Amino acid sequence: MGYKVFSKGEIEQFIEDGYVVLREAFPGSVAAEVRARLWEKMGLRPDDPSGWKEPVVHIREALGGPPFSLAWTQRVWDAFDDLLGAGRYLKKDTLGWFPVAFPGFDAPPWKPPEKGWHVDGIQFHHHVYSRDQGLLPIVILSDIGPGDGGTAIDLGSHKLAARIMAESEPEGLEIKELCARVAKHPFKRVVEANGRAGDMFLHHPFIRHARSANTGKSVRFICNPCIVLKEQMNLKRANPAEYSPVERAIVEALS
Ligand SMILES: O=C(O)CCC(=O)C(=O)O
C-alpha cells in the first residue's frame, strides 16, 4: 500500500510505538497567530511573567475560523488518510482544548510525570472498535524542547489498552475503569513530545499519556483535538490490506 506522507518505516513505528510525528504540518506563522489569540483569551501577556500565577491555564473550548482553522492543511488530511484510511474520518475545522503550561513552577531536570496518566475519551463508552476517537493528534503550537513540558507518552501502551478493551467486550468500559485497568501495568518507555510550532504528534487513540511539568523557560502551547471516524473500526476485514494502521495496531495486539 502506498502512503501519501509517511514512509513505510514511520507507519511501522506508529503501529509499534503508537505515535508518529508529522513535521511542518502547518505553518509556524499560523501557530504564532493562534498563540496571540490564546494570550488575549487568557487575559495574560507574553512579556509580563508577573501575571503567570498558575502552572497550567486550561482553555476548555474549541475555537474555529482563522487562524485556528488554518492548522488543518492538506498535509494533515494526507497524514490522516495514511493512518486512518482515505476519507474514513470526519474533517475538523476547529482547534481545542488548549492546556497552556507555564514555566517557573517546576525545576529541572524533567522527569516523567507520576500522575495524570490516562487514555483519552471522557465523552464516550469505550469499545475496542469505537468510532468516537480514531486518532489523538497533539498539535504543537509553540517550540517545545526537552524539558519544556511536552506531553509524556508511554510507547506501546496502545496495544495494552487494546487488549484490556477487547477483554471487556461485549460490555465495553467506562473511561475511568479503562484508565484504572491500564494503570495496573508498568510503563514500557516514556518519551516527551518535543517539536516545533507547526508540528503534530499523531497518536493511536488508545495511547496512555500525561501532562508533564514545564521545567523550561518558555510557555508551552498545545491542543489535543479528537478525530472521529465515520464508521466503527473494522477489526475483521476480509482483505487485510484494507486495515488502516490504527486498526492494524489493534489487530496485532490481539493476535
Ligand atoms: O497537557 C498535556 O500535555 C496533555 C493534555 C492531555 O493529555 C489531555 O488534556 O488529555
Side-chain angles (χ1 to χ4, degrees), residues 60-232:
R60 290 190 169 84
E61 244 181 288
L63 300 171
F68 306 99
S69 55
L70 302 179
W72 300 111
T73 59
Q74 187 57 46
R75 180 164 162 76
V76 173
W77 304 137
D78 287 348
F80 286 12
D81 283 351
D82 282 356
L83 298 174
L84 292 169
R88 289 191 195 156
Y89 53 90
L90 299 176
K91 285 189 175 174
K92 273 198 116 73
D93 57 5
T94 58
L95 288 184
W97 297 346
F98 307 88
V100 183
F102 291 85
F105 295 89
D106 290 278
W110 185 89
K111 297 191 283 303
E114 282 168 18
K115 47 186 190 167
W117 288 98
H118 62 283
V119 175
D120 267 4
I122 49 170
Q123 71 279 29
F124 61 97
H125 188 75
H126 286 251
H127 289 279
V128 70
Y129 50 78
S130 292
R131 64 178 277 272
D132 307 76
Q133 180 138 26
L135 202 63
L136 163 62
I138 299 268
V139 181
I140 308 280
L141 295 166
S142 60
D143 292 347
I144 306 175
D148 291 345
T151 306
I153 316 161
D154 178 24
L155 304 191
S157 55
H158 60 307
K159 293 195 171 184
L160 165 67
R163 287 190 284 272
I164 290 170
M165 278 186 238
E167 281 161 16
S168 77
E169 298 298 355
E171 293 84 7
L173 283 172
E174 284 304 312
I175 186 65
K176 217 171 146 199
E177 182 58 23
L178 170 61
C179 292
R181 291 193 195 180
V182 173
K184 288 190 182 140
H185 297 263
F187 294 95
K188 222 171 140 197
R189 186 158 75 90
V190 173
V191 298
E192 184 189 12
N194 297 128
R196 305 287 308 267
D199 293 344
M200 275 194 200
F201 271 64
L202 302 177
H203 301 89
H204 194 281
F206 300 170
I207 199 100
R208 168 162 62 174
H209 61 285
R211 181 167 312 144
S212 78
N214 184 349
T215 59
K217 295 200 179 327
S218 46
V219 181
R220 183 219 68 160
F221 289 83
I222 63 149
C223 74
N224 53 345
C226 169
I227 303 301
V228 176
L229 298 174
K230 288 184 183 162
E231 290 176 8
Q232 288 181 351

Side-chain angles (χ1 to χ4, degrees), residues 1 12 34 62 185 222:
M1 180 169 161
E12 292 310 313
V34 168
H185 297 263
I222 63 149

